[in-house]
Amino acid sequence: MTFAKVEKLPVNYKTAEDFERFAAQGNAELSMLDEFRLSLIESDDDTLFYGIYMDNELAARMALTFVNEQRDNTFYPPKGYVEISKLEVLPAYQGNKLGSSLVAFVQSFAKPVRTKARVNSEAFWTKLHFKDSQKQENNLSIMTWQPTK
């Protein structure tokens, strides 16, 4: 399977415009516009935002958090993991495996992955070998993936 190229998104005004377009066209629950604007104000050079461009437009994006130590009881024994936040593909680009490409990029780090299944996305995560942890946060199911040894 061929995956689309995932890029680390620069924290600049061009990317802010891309996130504004996402806020206008995407799902309001998945908007990361406020988080991105805060990152822009704080001049954080170590962005956690990643995306895929198609037709010179940001078509898919997500935020990642690299957790070095266990701060909850998601994984046992406790270990560091990557958390995927608010992964979204714009409606015009859905069906092109961009979401799968973003997840494959994260899985390539060979670390456990945690995410919250938003907007009825459990089937998407299950298709990508995530398991329901049987835990919830803010009424959202916590889905996890473990690398094979």
Side-chain angles (χ1 to χ4, degrees):
M1 172 186 249
T2 306
F3 291 104
K5 181 183 176 202
V6 177
E7 301 177 33
K8 187 174 184 181
L9 300 177
V11 178
N12 61 30
Y13 289 102
K14 164 69 173 91
T15 306
E17 290 173 2
D18 291 338
F19 274 57
E20 287 173 8
R21 187 168 50 81
F22 256 89
Q25 297 177 25
N27 187 307
E29 183 181 334
L30 298 173
S31 176
M32 291 191 294
L33 188 54
D34 291 338
E35 293 95 329
F36 188 82
R37 286 180 176 154
L38 181 61
S39 183
L40 195 61
I41 291 168
E42 293 178 350
S43 300
D44 185 2
D45 292 335
D46 196 23
T47 180
L48 301 176
F49 301 101
Y50 292 82
I52 298 171
Y53 284 90
M54 294 193 66
D55 305 322
N56 294 318
E57 291 188 337
L58 185 62
R61 55 103 185 104
M62 68 181 166
L64 298 182
T65 303
F66 294 86
V67 180
N68 290 325
E69 58 187 51
Q70 191 71 22
R71 64 178 178 205
D72 59 34
N73 61 355
T74 302
F75 297 101
Y76 187 83
K79 60 184 91 178
Y81 60 91
V82 182
E83 177 143 12
I84 299 174
S85 300
K86 300 181 180 178
L87 182 147
E88 184 176 19
V89 177
L90 285 179
Y93 297 100
Q94 291 176 1
N96 293 306
K97 302 206 179 296
L98 300 183
S100 298
S101 293
L102 289 170
V103 173
F105 173 77
V106 178
Q107 290 171 327
S108 74
F109 299 138
K111 291 182 171 229
V113 181
R114 175 189 197 271
T115 192
K116 295 175 189 163
R118 299 174 186 274
V119 289
N120 301 314
S121 63
E122 290 89 351
F124 168 78
W125 296 108
T126 300
K127 181 179 82 174
L128 297 173
H129 309 288
F130 279 69
K131 306 251 187 282
D132 186 340
S133 71
Q134 304 300 313
K135 298 172 185 159
Q136 290 200 338
E137 284 181 15
N138 302 322
N139 294 322
L140 299 172
S141 295
I142 302 300
M143 305 290 289
T144 61
W145 175 84
Q146 295 265 13
T148 55
K149 298 180 182 196

